[in-house]
Amino acid sequence: MRILLWHVHGAWTTSFVHGRHEYLIPVLPGRGPDGRGRARTYAWPDAAVEVTPAQAARSHVDVVVLQRPRELDGLAAEWLGGRRPGRDVPAVYLEHNAPQGRVAELRHPAADRPDLTVVHVTHFNDLFWDCGGTPTRVVEHGVVDPGERYTGELPRAAAVVNEARRRGRVTGTDLLGRLGAAVPVDLFGMGAREVGPPVHPVDDLPQARLHDEMARRRLYLHPVRWTSLGLSLLEAMHLGMPVVALATTEVVEAVPPDAGVISTSVDVLAAAARAFAADPERARLAGKSARATALARYGLDRFLADWDRLLKEVTG
């Protein structure tokens, strides 16, 4: 198929464009949010092709993957030369995020659109979003396997959070001080240098180098309160890292007891991080279990096969 989708989330899109289709990626001068084009820090196959508005407007498109309200509200139709997603071109709305706000008011922007399908990346999101009469599906994450790189040579924790200071309590940035008192924390991600001590910021790195550096740390720390399911967590598990994470949203499904420690108690997490830092063999064994779990549930082949079935369904 020929699929039009915007480059919104680089890590998720990296997995998606490894399928057997052709992927049209909008690009604009300046590469802003509505035209980032191909990723610069991820390895994408040649099947991901940049298209300008003029090229997209005259291209045959089998299906559109919408990811933001602005795409649904007119941006996609502009790029498609007036063709409306869901009405003139088959479309799905991919929802990456857990809803924000009061539970009774969490209505999805694509609610009551029977001509669309809302695709959630976790069952937690499907549970919490109100999509009204719009059909929904869940396609869980899949990750391009970076390989088992874990050495754990540094008795430190790795955490990966983009824009950690701005996102604050959502990403658990305020917890890093307490957790950093138990074990040194190296923070990776965009804007990491904006977070002060005791966290040690690391420059934003290309994906391959990021994975190498994460795998040198003894454990992976996931302090996030409210998100779908961080792909960096699944990547850490693929690398063979033990996990210490808040037991919130989909984490309780993704991290089994033998792969690390999850809890809603910050004191429990701090003690677990301290214990892994002090016991390399225990950390290594937990990391082995984490990798086995990640390969079994969040592997790339399963992810792409689920998407192929869904795309076949929505295109009829």
Side-chain angles (χ1 to χ4, degrees):
M1 297 183 189
R2 182 175 283 178
I3 304 167
L4 177 70
L5 77 155
W6 273 260
H7 172 190
V8 175
H9 293 281
W12 183 90
T13 311
T14 296
S15 295
F16 188 67
V17 299
H18 273 78
R20 57 191 181 91
H21 308 289
E22 182 180 3
Y23 307 89
L24 306 183
I25 311 295
V27 65
L28 290 170
R31 297 180 178 270
D34 291 338
R36 288 195 177 104
R38 287 174 54 92
R40 305 292 184 87
T41 57
Y42 296 89
W44 285 10
D46 293 340
V49 179
E50 293 182 345
V51 292
T52 65
Q55 291 170 328
R58 61 175 181 263
S59 293
H60 170 74
V61 174
D62 292 296
V63 62
V64 184
V65 177
L66 308 166
Q67 300 171 78
R68 299 171 295 175
R70 63 197 296 164
E71 298 168 20
L72 181 64
D73 293 341
L75 181 65
E78 291 176 17
W79 279 72
L80 288 166
R83 291 171 287 175
R84 298 164 298 173
R87 291 165 184 165
D88 304 313
V89 181
V92 300
Y93 192 111
L94 172 63
E95 181 52 70
H96 293 277
N97 300 315
Q100 304 288 328
R102 294 171 59 85
V103 172
E105 300 165 359
L106 303 180
R107 191 156 177 81
H108 197 274
D112 293 326
R113 284 287 303 267
D115 55 327
L116 300 174
T117 298
V118 172
V119 184
H120 296 288
V121 297
T122 67
H123 291 279
F124 180 90
N125 286 7
D126 191 28
L127 178 68
F128 271 73
W129 274 113
D130 176 8
C131 291
T134 307
T136 68
R137 299 288 189 278
V138 176
V139 178
E140 293 189 312
H141 286 305
V143 173
V144 178
D145 183 15
E148 188 172 7
R149 306 190 196 184
Y150 181 70
T151 66
E153 63 204 75
L154 302 177
R156 306 173 68 87
V160 181
V161 181
N162 287 323
E163 300 181 90
R165 183 175 180 182
R166 179 185 66 81
R167 296 166 73 193
R169 288 179 57 82
V170 170
T171 54
T173 308
D174 59 305
L175 304 177
L176 291 175
R178 291 171 63 185
L179 295 167
V183 61
V185 176
D186 293 332
L187 179 64
F188 299 83
M190 293 183 293
R193 293 192 177 277
E194 297 175 8
V195 179
V199 173
H200 176 253
V202 182
D203 288 331
D204 192 25
L205 302 174
Q207 189 182 43
R209 190 175 164 208
L210 170 64
H211 288 160
D212 285 339
E213 290 300 321
M214 288 169 61
R216 295 179 64 211
R217 275 67 185 176
R218 186 69 48 82
L219 65 132
Y220 185 77
L221 179 64
H222 190 69
V224 181
R225 283 189 176 90
W226 188 257
T227 188
S228 295
L229 181 61
L231 277 168
S232 58
L233 169 65
L234 300 182
E235 290 167 0
M237 293 173 69
H238 273 81
L239 291 168
M241 301 184 71
V243 171
V244 173
L246 277 178
T248 55
T249 64
E250 195 79 359
V251 168
V252 296
E253 291 285 333
V255 182
D258 54 355
V261 175
I262 64 172
S263 177
T264 55
S265 166
V266 178
D267 290 339
V268 169
L269 298 185
R274 191 181 298 113
F276 278 131
D279 190 341
E281 181 61 14
R282 179 187 175 200
R284 186 187 68 82
L285 291 175
K288 288 279 188 185
S289 178
R291 176 167 168 79
T293 297
L295 289 172
R297 183 163 182 172
Y298 300 104
L300 185 66
D301 289 345
R302 190 275 310 154
F303 170 79
L304 294 174
D306 286 355
W307 268 103
D308 280 351
R309 282 190 290 271
L310 175 62
L311 293 171
K312 184 177 180 180
E313 176 186 330
V314 299
T315 57

